[in-house]
Amino acid sequence: TSEGTGVSESDVIVLEDGWAIQDVITPEEVGAIMGATMTYFPEAGSAAQDGRPEAGYTQESVEGSKVYVAVDVDGGEEELEIIKGYAVEGSLEEISGLGDKAYALTYEDGDVGVILVRGEAFIRIDWPSDVYGSNAAGLGSELANLLMSKMYE
């Protein structure tokens, strides 16, 4: 563990401070998982310089096709609990082996995705189920593992 933090070395983000999601995972990588040709879509709320990067990946010709990816490097459990509250009742499904704690969920608007904590970081990935299907645990785990493979060694 890192001195005094209680966080395992494997849970320390290896990217430079201020890293952006679009510099870490490409539209091609997201598209390979989602089964579509994707392009990067900037997120107005992204605050990469403050440790809260966000990015979107979308199909140019498909309305409402955005895959949303967000990280809060210090959000951890607190952020996880907040977002769990947005899940449609009965839709929260724990996923084992993904980060320290992870859930698949369905949101009120019909979007599906995964939320997870690894070390101090909170990760959220979601997408419209009518475009990509509702396999939140499967697709979400693939996307989250792709992102974490770049964030951690």
Side-chain angles (χ1 to χ4, degrees):
T1 59
S2 295
E3 188 79 25
T5 64
V7 175
S8 162
E9 284 295 335
S10 65
D11 289 335
V12 175
I13 297 172
V14 297
L15 303 168
E16 295 287 324
D17 286 350
W19 63 275
I21 290 169
Q22 67 271 21
D23 296 334
V24 178
I25 54 176
T26 67
E28 293 76 19
E29 290 171 313
V30 174
I33 292 169
M34 301 309 283
T37 301
M38 310 294 281
T39 58
Y40 165 67
F41 183 89
E43 287 292 331
S46 184
Q49 68 283 2
D50 296 326
R52 293 187 313 279
E54 299 176 16
Y57 298 88
T58 187
Q59 297 178 58
E60 281 187 35
S61 59
V62 180
E63 186 75 27
S65 64
K66 183 172 68 172
V67 175
Y68 173 75
V69 181
V71 175
D72 183 336
V73 299
D74 298 316
E77 293 275 341
E78 184 178 342
E79 197 70 24
L80 182 80
E81 291 305 315
I82 291 169
I83 302 302
K84 277 171 60 178
Y86 294 118
V88 170
E89 192 171 333
S91 75
L92 209 57
E93 171 195 344
E94 193 160 357
I95 304 171
S96 61
L98 186 65
D100 298 331
K101 187 183 289 188
Y103 297 91
L105 69 161
T106 301
Y107 295 94
E108 297 285 341
D109 63 3
D111 283 4
V112 298
V114 295
I115 53 174
L116 67 102
V117 171
R118 178 166 172 183
E120 298 295 314
F122 168 77
I123 298 171
R124 173 181 173 176
I125 303 172
D126 46 67
W127 61 88
S129 59
D130 59 341
V131 177
Y132 303 107
S134 57
N135 181 6
L139 290 174
S141 293
E142 283 190 67
L143 289 165
N145 280 321
L146 169 66
L147 178 59
M148 288 189 292
S149 74
K150 312 289 181 94
M151 289 173 62
Y152 305 96
E153 288 184 339

